[in-house]
Amino acid sequence: MLIPYTVKPRPDTGLINSKLGIWLFLASEVMLFGALFSSYILLRVNSVDWPVGSTILSVPIAAFNTVVLISSSITVIMAWASLKMGNLSKGRMYILITFLLGLTFMCVKAYEYNTKFHHGLFPSESTFMAIYFTLTGLHGLHVLGGMIVFAYFWGPGAKMWKTEPEHFTNRIEIVGLYWHFVDLVWIFLFPVLYLL
Amino acid sequence: MSQSDHHDEHANEHPKLGFWQAYVFSTDHKVIGIQYGLTALVFLFFGFCLMMLMRWQLAYPGQALPIFGSLFSDATMPGGVMLPEFYNSLGAMHGTIMVFLGVVPLAVGAFGNFVVPLQIGAPDMAFPKLNMASYWSFFAGGVVMLYSFMAPGGAANSGWTSYPPLSDIATAGQTYWLIGMIFLITSSLLGSVNFIVTIIQLRVEGLTYMRMPFFVWAQLVTAFLLLLAFPPLEAAGVMQLMDRLADTSFFLPTGLVVTGDALQVSGGGSPLLWQHLFWFLAHPEVYVLILPAMGIVAEIIANNSRKPLFGYKSAVYSLIFLGFMSFIVWAHHMFLTGMGTTISAFFQTTTMIISIPSVVILTVFFISLWGGRIRFNTCMLFALGFLPMFGIGGLTGLPLGLSAADIPLHDTYYVIGHFHYVVAPGTLLALFAGIYYWFPKATGRIMNEFWGKVHFWGSIVCMNMIFFPMLIQGLAGVSRRLYDGGASYEFAEPVLHYNAAMSHAAWLLAVFQLPFIINFFYSIWKGKQVDRNPWQSTTMEWEAPSPPPHGNFDTPPVAYRGPYEYSVPGAEKDYTPQCEAAEV
Amino acid sequence: MGDSVEDIKKHVRTYVMVFVVLLFLTGVTVGISYVDMGHTMNIVLALVIATIKASLVAAYFMHLISEKKLIYYTLLIAALFFIGLMFLPTGQSLDPIHL
Ligand code: HEM
Ligand SMILES: [Cu+2]
């Protein structure tokens, strides 16, 4: 039994199933992070004193991480473009770079958390620290999830190229969409938590 | 598959799957649907048992429960007498299990999975593996919830709404509740993505949106509600987990005093934040409970009145409008939290507006009966029973939606009466109707009509005996979460005698489920065999063999017409199936 | 969107340009956060820049600039509910009743 429209788009919608699927998933992610942003606003508006992020958190480190994540967005696009042009080895190289950039992001994040803990700054310290750890933690989990998928497509998942190159390319596009979204969330997290 | 009258060659094309792959870790939407259905029925039964225990305590406060009482530990019912903490656990878990592990999985997981792909002529769901993952995530959530009864201090006991600060400082069961919920939410999210993609992408040739059966529309709107309303609760759940495990204060205000001691937390949080996020989910969630039920009722009414659904289009537009509106009424659950009058006025208005499409849909069903040649079989009785019951449920909601009337009614038994009327004699009757209606598709056999009717009359009478007095007690001011059912309040005295009667009706209701359970299992193996289309229905699921093989249809169907072409003037049969080509 | 090798090469050039703009805007946000323009102004500017960056990512990297209608509809629905969600804090802060 074959499920239709996994590789070729359905004529009237112009979409393959997984493309619609990932966008729906991202819509729900918007609501997830949206709820946390909304909570952030509510807590902040009702707080007595709210610290300016940069007095507690390190802006240069976060700015560095922003650059890392933006770069990984462009590498994942390059991976897709290479596959689209039929170049598997280049595609895989870009997937690997994306993975490594994700890893860099996570290492920096771990270092950041660690210094906070060393200064005795735990989530229980204040509502600001609580929302900082929750938002970045949840975002970190998303990065981790993406990394696992990239590792899979770099390794065993890439076998699919031999039999169904088009399907494989689509998959990279789909995971790319997810990855850009994770980047997009960070683009908001950075100013909201670190700068304001 | 040997039971099928219609032998089909296509079944042989598929390699035989082993037992585990065919029945346990299956990716076939029908098997997953049945798994959802059976699991949900077990949970419904379990949740019902919790309620029966509570009803003992309400009818005979402080008395030892005979026979069954000795089965419980000293931490819950020493000497058969229920402890208040245990009563609270029962209440919280009854609500949680019924809503998240019973009705939603049955309405969406079971019926949605089984029926939707068949009705749109698809071979399966768009993402079969994801479908399996969502079932197992649901299962894991259920296991965590059940396991929480073993936690120190028992299962969650802060109500199904888990309001902080109480839930933040409650015993360990609450942590399990949150973890369980995260599994359930994940399951719903995966499922809803799958449903939307399936309905949009896998519709068979000719099946335009306005030719989709109403049930499919209901599932589509429901899936959108699940997709967009659940994430805020997930966020809230994560924050409450942080509060409990990492000692944060998202929901704990500054200066909270617990049993005489100031709580050692940073404070600065807001208990109302939880309520907002919870109801942002939970109001759309009540439509998740009701819309699939309406979908089922629409199918059955059209089929058994042998008439097209009157006003199909207005029903569909109402459905969509209902979906949108359900996201902006949530604060009608919070009129008593000190919200400002501007906000109250806004939410009252939206609440009044949202009842309009509900009434339109109900009216569509009623008018569809007009002038029909109604067949009063079991599934039709259940569907007809739904109509007045949902009517009462909806009408009792209106006073609650106006803040002046809600002030005395909030948190009384009136609210309990209101939502049980919509969910129990409403949605549950519709779900039973669906079981009787689609049983022949899933098994190739039909359930016994006589015992079905016994089940119906017993259930509807008992349900009304349980829930109507709740409205009366609530109007008298009896609060909804009293361990002794109001015995310690003088003003409750005049309505207290209802408690015993309601409890007896509840236990009687259990007795009336026995014919159903026996009928169900007996019919699976011994029921009367029927052909593919025993109800002479028009929609496409009846074109597939019963039970449908992996891949569903003999040949992919094509839709030539709308879903409810019954009694078409001039046609030789009184039904013209959707995929029957027009004669030229 | 064309899918020939030529087309893709053209796209890649766009991607790189967007990338450079994103890096530049990151620099700008960090830069102005050190300049005191009044609390509100700082917040507004930071959010405006973040929105521009996010839109660039969505439009070019995620191809939203040339997507199918169905995706737009889906996102429109999500956007409506998202706006509802963003009004959630007003539930607590708009003319609350003080006892
Ligand atoms: C059709 C019009 C409806 C209106 C105007 C309405 C209105 C309300 C209002 C205002 C409340 C809050 C009462 C309070 O806590 O003081 C409420 C509670 C509730 N409603 Fe409805 N409702 C309607 C339909 C439904 C439907 C269709 C369902 C479910 C299928 C439902 C399920 C519930 C539940 C579960 C609660 C109680 C939640 C709790 O506090 O535990 N309602 N309703
Ligand atoms: Cu509501």
Side-chain angles (χ1 to χ4, degrees):
Chain A
M1 173 198 61
L2 275 178
I3 308 283
Y5 315 122
T6 45
V7 184
K8 290 269 170 275
R10 179 182 165 108
D12 58 352
T13 61
L15 291 170
I16 55 171
N17 298 343
S18 48
K19 183 84 161 275
L20 180 58
I22 193 74
W23 274 110
L24 288 167
F25 176 71
L26 294 183
S28 88
E29 293 279 87
V30 167
M31 297 301 279
L32 176 68
F33 283 101
L36 285 166
F37 273 114
S38 199
S39 309
Y40 167 89
I41 299 170
L42 189 147
L43 291 171
R44 180 167 182 168
V45 169
N46 291 291
S47 66
V48 186
D49 63 330
W50 191 268
V52 174
S54 52
T55 56
I56 301 177
L57 307 169
S58 160
V59 177
I61 289 184
F64 173 76
N65 248 351
T66 311
V67 174
V68 170
L69 222 47
I70 294 178
S71 311
S72 75
S73 251
I74 184 93
T75 56
V76 77
I77 276 253
M78 296 305 284
W80 170 74
S82 311
L83 291 174
K84 208 76 194 172
M85 293 189 278
N87 193 337
L88 176 67
S89 54
K90 216 166 149 203
R92 274 187 69 196
M93 179 192 78
Y94 277 121
I95 294 178
L96 184 64
I97 298 178
T98 313
F99 173 84
L100 291 175
L101 287 170
L103 189 65
T104 315
F105 179 90
M106 290 304 278
C107 290
V108 173
K109 202 82 247 164
Y111 168 78
E112 231 186 320
Y113 273 20
N114 213 10
T115 43
K116 293 288 151 318
F117 293 153
H118 263 285
H119 291 96
L121 287 174
F122 292 96
S124 53
E125 178 67 19
S126 64
T127 319
F128 173 75
M129 286 320 279
I131 195 104
Y132 162 76
F133 276 108
T134 309
L135 272 170
T136 54
L138 208 61
H139 177 261
L141 280 181
H142 280 77
V143 175
L144 200 67
M147 283 166 60
I148 293 172
V149 178
F150 285 126
Y152 172 75
F153 283 136
W154 179 75
K159 280 199 204 98
M160 189 178 209
W161 178 264
K162 273 194 221 113
T163 48
E164 296 167 276
E166 210 180 333
H167 200 166
F168 184 68
T169 312
N170 286 342
R171 287 191 162 184
I172 297 300
E173 184 187 3
I174 300 299
V175 56
L177 284 172
Y178 167 80
W179 194 251
H180 298 313
F181 176 79
V182 174
D183 182 12
L184 201 147
V185 170
W186 182 257
I187 286 177
F188 280 106
L189 283 188
F190 171 53
V192 166
L193 292 176
Y194 290 81
L195 301 178
L196 303 182
Chain B
M1 250 141 251
S2 54
Q3 312 158 347
S4 166
D5 295 47
H6 295 262
H7 190 74
D8 74 305
E9 306 86 303
H10 290 261
N12 306 334
E13 280 173 19
H14 305 290
K16 273 261 171 294
L17 299 170
F19 172 80
W20 288 92
Q21 268 190 319
Y23 298 109
V24 184
F25 296 105
S26 172
T27 55
D28 183 340
H29 74 99
K30 297 175 294 296
V31 178
I32 295 174
I34 291 169
Q35 286 175 325
Y36 260 117
L38 293 177
T39 320
L41 283 172
V42 169
F43 275 118
L44 275 181
F45 182 73
F46 183 73
F48 188 47
C49 292
L50 300 184
M51 184 275 277
M52 286 195 287
L53 277 176
M54 292 167 75
R55 286 284 3 154
W56 170 265
Q57 167 64 23
L58 292 173
Y60 308 105
Q63 293 182 30
L65 174 66
I67 313 169
F68 300 105
S70 56
L71 299 174
F72 290 88
S73 71
D74 278 353
T76 54
M77 295 179 64
V81 180
M82 188 178 292
L83 291 176
E85 293 79 9
F86 188 51
Y87 179 84
N88 284 344
S89 279
L90 290 177
M93 294 311 283
H94 165 72
T96 308
I97 287 175
M98 286 309 206
V99 171
F100 296 108
L101 289 162
V103 175
V104 175
L106 191 57
V108 180
F111 286 115
N113 254 311
F114 191 91
V115 178
V116 166
L118 287 168
Q119 281 196 332
I120 61 171
D124 205 315
M125 294 285 275
F127 309 112
K129 286 195 193 113
L130 205 64
N131 204 9
M132 179 177 88
S134 82
Y135 171 74
W136 286 105
S137 178
F138 156 69
F139 192 83
V143 170
V144 173
M145 289 289 184
L146 285 185
Y147 183 76
S148 74
F149 279 94
M150 256 84 87
N157 50 20
S158 313
W160 81 284
T161 52
S162 283
Y163 279 5
L166 185 62
S167 55
D168 265 15
I169 55 173
T171 49
Q174 183 65 22
T175 306
Y176 287 95
W177 187 89
L178 290 165
I179 294 170
M181 282 308 290
I182 288 176
F183 275 111
L184 296 177
I185 294 171
T186 309
S187 157
S188 281
L189 289 179
L190 298 181
S192 55
V193 169
N194 215 341
F195 276 114
I196 300 174
V197 176
T198 306
I199 295 174
I200 292 179
Q201 290 279 99
L202 301 193
R203 270 171 302 128
V204 88
E205 197 191 327
L207 192 67
T208 55
Y209 287 112
M210 279 304 162
R211 282 181 179 176
M212 292 197 310
F214 191 69
F215 179 75
V216 176
W217 265 112
Q219 291 286 346
L220 181 62
V221 175
T222 304
F224 265 106
L225 297 185
L226 286 173
L227 183 78
L228 299 172
F230 251 137
L233 183 66
E234 188 156 30
V238 169
M239 286 192 273
Q240 199 177 96
L241 261 185
M242 291 288 285
D243 272 6
R244 294 181 55 87
L245 299 178
D247 292 329
T248 56
S249 316
F250 284 116
F251 303 124
L252 294 174
T254 310
L256 192 67
V257 176
V258 177
T259 54
D261 300 315
L263 213 56
Q264 289 307 313
V265 291
S266 67
S270 162
L272 285 186
L273 173 59
W274 169 272
Q275 294 196 21
H276 278 297
L277 292 173
F278 183 86
W279 289 115
F280 191 88
L281 155 88
H283 190 87
E285 175 81 12
V286 309
Y287 287 93
V288 169
L289 298 173
I290 202 73
L291 297 185
M294 289 175 166
I296 294 171
V297 169
E299 299 299 302
I300 294 175
I301 285 191
N303 175 253
N304 286 305
S305 62
R306 315 304 290 165
K307 273 183 62 197
L309 204 61
F310 175 89
Y312 166 84
K313 272 197 183 152
S314 41
V316 168
Y317 292 134
S318 300
L319 200 62
I320 296 170
F321 183 62
L322 206 70
F324 276 103
M325 290 303 290
S326 72
F327 277 86
I328 44 170
V329 297
W330 78 85
H332 65 206
H333 296 270
M334 299 169 62
F335 286 137
L336 264 73
T337 56
M339 257 182 345
T341 43
T342 320
I343 298 286
S344 283
F346 174 79
F347 282 104
Q348 286 178 62
T349 315
T350 53
T351 305
M352 291 306 115
I353 293 174
I354 202 176
S355 43
I356 298 170
S358 322
V359 173
V360 170
I361 294 177
L362 204 59
T363 312
V364 162
F365 294 160
F366 271 117
I367 301 186
S368 295
L369 298 171
W370 181 265
R373 275 176 292 121
I374 301 177
R375 298 192 301 215
F376 289 99
N377 47 25
T378 306
C379 57
M380 185 61 168
L381 285 180
F382 274 98
L384 290 176
F386 168 89
L387 302 178
M389 294 300 110
F390 175 70
I392 298 180
L395 287 176
T396 51
L398 292 176
L400 296 175
L402 296 163
S403 74
D406 189 49
I407 288 170
L409 292 176
H410 178 69
D411 262 352
T412 64
Y413 263 102
Y414 183 88
V415 176
I416 309 279
H418 152 66
F419 71 75
H420 279 91
Y421 258 104
V422 253
V423 186
T427 301
L428 271 184
L429 287 192
L431 293 177
F432 279 128
I435 293 177
Y436 284 97
Y437 183 65
W438 279 302
F439 192 87
K441 188 53 27 191
T443 61
R445 290 163 191 274
I446 200 162
M447 283 173 80
N448 182 295
E449 280 286 312
F450 175 76
W451 290 110
K453 283 175 183 161
V454 171
H455 177 211
F456 168 73
W457 286 111
S459 298
I460 194 167
V461 170
C462 288
M463 281 178 174
N464 277 290
M465 276 161 52
I466 303 168
F467 299 123
F468 204 83
M470 287 191 181
L471 298 173
I472 301 172
Q473 287 189 327
L475 286 168
V478 181
S479 170
R480 66 188 276 189
R481 283 186 175 123
L482 295 176
Y483 167 59
D484 59 4
S488 48
Y489 290 88
E490 206 177 314
F491 68 83
E493 181 58 37
V495 291
L496 216 56
H497 63 276
Y498 286 120
N499 272 338
M502 287 153 75
S503 295
H504 294 155
W507 301 322
L508 196 62
L509 180 61
V511 175
F512 276 111
Q513 301 316 299
L514 294 180
F516 170 70
I517 297 172
I518 296 170
N519 192 354
F520 186 83
F521 286 105
Y522 180 83
S523 305
I524 292 179
W525 289 287
K526 294 276 167 60
K528 190 168 134 242
Q529 292 200 355
V530 286
D531 67 0
R532 290 179 188 207
N533 192 356
W535 313 116
Q536 282 126 8
S537 179
T538 50
T539 44
M540 266 186 282
E541 76 269 34
W542 302 103
E543 283 308 304
S546 304
H550 202 46
N552 293 346
F553 294 91
D554 306 339
T555 48
V558 177
Y560 293 99
R561 61 192 79 245
Y564 305 115
E565 306 241 327
Y566 288 104
S567 307
V568 181
E572 56 199 55
K573 310 190 287 290
D574 75 340
Y575 67 108
T576 320
Q578 250 189 314
C579 47
E580 190 171 287
E583 298 141 48
V584 191
Chain C
M1 166 178 59
D3 274 355
S4 71
V5 174
E6 280 313 304
D7 283 336
I8 291 177
K9 285 206 174 118
K10 222 183 290 162
H11 287 311
V12 168
R13 242 168 287 141
T14 326
Y15 299 145
V16 174
M17 253 158 61
V18 172
F19 173 63
V20 174
V21 175
L22 286 174
L23 289 185
F24 170 72
L25 286 176
T26 308
V28 173
T29 347
V30 176
I32 51 177
S33 77
Y34 291 109
V35 187
D36 188 9
M37 290 178 292
H39 194 55
T40 330
M41 199 56 201
N42 269 3
I43 292 185
V44 170
L45 263 184
L47 288 181
V48 166
I49 295 178
T51 312
I52 296 175
K53 283 166 75 183
S55 316
L56 284 175
V57 172
Y60 292 99
F61 288 178
M62 302 172 89
H63 306 300
L64 268 192
I65 198 135
S66 58
E67 250 314 341
K68 297 291 175 298
K69 270 211 211 83
L70 189 59
I71 302 282
Y72 290 146
Y73 290 144
T74 313
L75 292 179
L76 185 74
I77 295 175
L80 284 178
F81 293 150
F82 180 77
I83 292 169
L85 193 56
M86 285 300 128
F87 275 100
L88 191 144
T90 56
Q92 203 176 0
S93 26
L94 205 66
D95 68 314
I97 293 168
H98 295 289
L99 296 177

